[in-house]
């Protein structure tokens, strides 16, 4: 008998997991996250998973309970004799701590990778890591999905007359350049200098934006200070319109207020993290459920995930 597939949700990604399971064609598995009065948690699978492919859907955004819950679910699945345990992590938290950029700091993304492996994960499926090289922190397979498969069709239906792409910082330039090259569009860079985390000291625009419809591309929107400052500067330099596309809506601090009061026409995000304020007028959400459902099926059937990188397929079709 072939092992069957069971999909379970962590508390932080319940709605997304329900969509993924529906797209995959299986009911969401039953798991109970018991909590003690002091906040300690204990996940309990309410059905047999012996010999099964177990996919655990949980983004590891703050608080750290989301990460701890995922680790405990992995451990519980291992002890329940699951055949394979695949951690589906739409948003991989601590990814911004990917290197030792100053003395005496932790490399959080490597530590999380080690914890996931130690807990018993056999594979990771994630999307838009802050730094793609984080895949090398793992000694198990990592399927790294790309949100451009979702964003490119959305950009095409906008039909903007003077489309130009912008990187909100130098670090995002490779990601933006790839999408700009698909559309044969120009690209500009907003070069920023930080005093400290989440605080921008200065920013300049490299490139001409006069009369252009600008789309800013980034992987994470945290406080939205970078995006909103970039949008204001681009409009000041003569841009006709400014939109932003960001995969992971962390949206901490005054992010919602910053976005509402900004020059942005809209902020388009994915549902890798649930919105704290889903009724925000300027924020549009695109779902990653279809993409992850296909990735789960391909992992189960030992098929390639190359077909999921739609921007590459579209480029080949146009060539």
């Amino acid at each position: 008998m072939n092992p069957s597939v069971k999909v379970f949700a962590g508390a932080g990604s319940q709605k997304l997991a329900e969509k993924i399971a529906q797209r995959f064609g299986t009911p969401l598995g039953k798991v109970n996250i018991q909590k003690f009065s002091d906040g300690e948690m204990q996940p309990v699978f309410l059905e047999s998973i012996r010999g099964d492919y177990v996919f655990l859907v949980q983004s590891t955004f703050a608080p750290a309970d989301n990460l701890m819950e995922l680790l405990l679910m992995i451990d519980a699945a291992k002890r329940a004799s699951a055949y394979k345990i695949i951690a589906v992590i739409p948003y991989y938290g601590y990814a911004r701590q990917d290197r030792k950029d100053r003395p005496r700091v932790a490399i959080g993304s490597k530590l999380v990778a080690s914890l996931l492996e130690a807990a018993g994960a056999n594979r990771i499926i994630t999307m838009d890591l802050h730094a793609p090289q984080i895949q090398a922190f793992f000694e198990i397979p990592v399927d790294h999905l790309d949100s451009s498969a979702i964003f490119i069709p959305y950009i095409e239906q906008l039909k903007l007359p003077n489309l130009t792409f912008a990187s909100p910082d130098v670090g995002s330039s490779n990601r933006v350049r790839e999408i700009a090259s698909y559309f044969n569009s120009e690209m500009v860079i907003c070069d920023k200098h930080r005093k400290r985390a989440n605080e921008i000291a200065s920013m300049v625009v490299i490139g001409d934006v006069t009369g252009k419809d600008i789309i800013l591309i980034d992987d994470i929107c945290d406080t939205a200070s970078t995006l909103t400052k970039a949008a204001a500067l681009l409009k000041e330099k003569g841009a006709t319109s400014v939109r932003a596309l960001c995969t992971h809506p962390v949206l901490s601090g005054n992010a919602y207020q910053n976005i509402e009061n900004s020059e942005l026409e809209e902020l388009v995000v994915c549902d890798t993290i649930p919105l704290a304020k889903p009724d925000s007028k300027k924020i549009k959400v695109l779902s990653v459920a279809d993409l992850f459902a296909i990735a789960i099926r391909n992992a189960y059937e030992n098929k390639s995930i190359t077909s999921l990188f739609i921007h590459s397929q579209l480029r080949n079709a146009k060539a």
Side-chain angles (χ1 to χ4, degrees), residues 9-28:
S13 297
Q14 184 74 31
K15 289 184 178 179
L16 176 57
E18 288 173 358
K19 293 179 185 177
I20 292 172
Q22 182 181 21
R23 304 293 201 281
F24 183 83
T26 187
L28 195 62

Side-chain angles (χ1 to χ4, degrees), residues 71 74 78 110 112-122 124 137-140:
L71 294 171
I74 293 170
K78 178 179 66 177
K110 167 58 180 170
V112 171
S114 298
L115 290 169
L116 290 165
E117 289 184 29
N122 300 114
I124 306 294
F137 291 162
F138 289 90
E139 298 301 327
I140 57 176

Side-chain angles (χ1 to χ4, degrees), residues 90-133:
Y91 170 68
Y92 184 89
Y94 292 88
R96 285 174 284 185
Q97 300 179 39
D98 63 335
R99 63 198 183 280
K100 191 173 179 181
D101 55 355
R102 57 186 184 275
R104 299 175 294 282
V105 297
I107 304 179
S109 53
K110 167 58 180 170
L111 175 60
V112 171
S114 298
L115 290 169
L116 290 165
E117 289 184 29
N122 300 114
R123 189 182 201 94
I124 306 294
I125 303 178
T126 189
M127 171 177 275
D128 281 6
L129 291 168
H130 187 63
Q133 60 266 30

Side-chain angles (χ1 to χ4, degrees), residues 3 5 24 53-55 83-88 122-126 141-143 145 291-308:
V5 171
F24 183 83
Y53 273 88
V54 174
F55 292 85
Y83 175 62
K84 294 288 184 183
I85 304 165
I86 298 91
V88 181
N122 300 114
R123 189 182 201 94
I124 306 294
I125 303 178
T126 189
V142 177
D143 293 324
L145 305 182
L291 206 59
F292 276 94
I294 298 170
I296 287 172
R297 183 168 299 282
N298 287 11
Y300 171 60
E301 297 177 353
N302 290 315
K303 292 182 179 178
S304 170
I305 66 164
T306 302
S307 62
L308 301 185

Side-chain angles (χ1 to χ4, degrees), residues 95-251:
R96 285 174 284 185
Q97 300 179 39
D98 63 335
R99 63 198 183 280
K100 191 173 179 181
D101 55 355
R102 57 186 184 275
R104 299 175 294 282
V105 297
I107 304 179
S109 53
K110 167 58 180 170
L111 175 60
V112 171
S114 298
L115 290 169
L116 290 165
E117 289 184 29
N122 300 114
R123 189 182 201 94
I124 306 294
I125 303 178
T126 189
M127 171 177 275
D128 281 6
L129 291 168
H130 187 63
Q133 60 266 30
I134 289 172
Q135 295 171 84
F137 291 162
F138 289 90
E139 298 301 327
I140 57 176
V142 177
D143 293 324
H144 184 208
L145 305 182
D146 190 335
S147 64
S148 60
I150 296 168
F151 286 147
I152 282 178
Y154 181 79
I155 296 169
E156 287 181 323
Q157 62 92 25
L158 289 174
K159 300 185 185 301
L160 296 173
N162 297 302
L163 180 61
T164 297
F165 291 91
S167 172
D169 54 41
V170 175
S172 300
S173 58
N174 287 338
R175 182 192 311 272
V176 179
R177 185 177 294 110
E178 187 170 329
I179 295 179
S181 65
Y182 169 77
F183 285 95
N184 293 318
S185 296
E186 295 179 357
M187 169 187 163
V188 300
I189 296 175
C190 301
D191 187 23
K192 69 183 178 186
H193 169 65
R194 288 192 187 275
K195 286 182 178 178
R196 57 184 68 88
N198 297 128
E199 186 175 332
I200 300 170
S202 62
M203 179 181 287
V204 295
V205 175
I206 303 173
D208 181 24
V209 298
T210 304
K212 302 297 178 61
D213 295 296
I214 305 293
I215 294 183
L216 287 153
I217 306 283
D218 209 351
D219 61 323
I220 295 173
C221 181
D222 189 351
T223 63
S225 60
T226 296
L227 287 180
T228 55
K229 189 175 181 66
L233 187 57
L234 290 164
K235 288 285 283 189
E236 182 184 316
K237 297 292 184 181
T240 302
S241 66
V242 183
R243 290 172 171 80
L245 275 60
C246 293
T247 310
H248 307 300
V250 174
L251 301 180

Side-chain angles (χ1 to χ4, degrees), residues 244-302:
L245 275 60
C246 293
T247 310
H248 307 300
V250 174
L251 301 180
S252 65
N254 295 323
Y256 287 94
Q257 183 179 349
N258 291 340
I259 293 164
E260 292 299 328
N261 297 332
S262 72
E263 295 284 354
L264 289 170
E265 300 282 331
E266 62 180 353
L267 169 63
V268 183
V269 299
C270 295
D271 57 352
T272 56
I273 300 173
L275 295 185
K277 297 181 180 179
D279 56 346
S280 178
K281 294 179 181 178
K282 282 195 175 184
I283 301 177
K284 180 180 180 64
V285 181
L286 304 179
S287 184
V288 299
D290 285 335
L291 206 59
F292 276 94
I294 298 170
I296 287 172
R297 183 168 299 282
N298 287 11
Y300 171 60
E301 297 177 353
N302 290 315

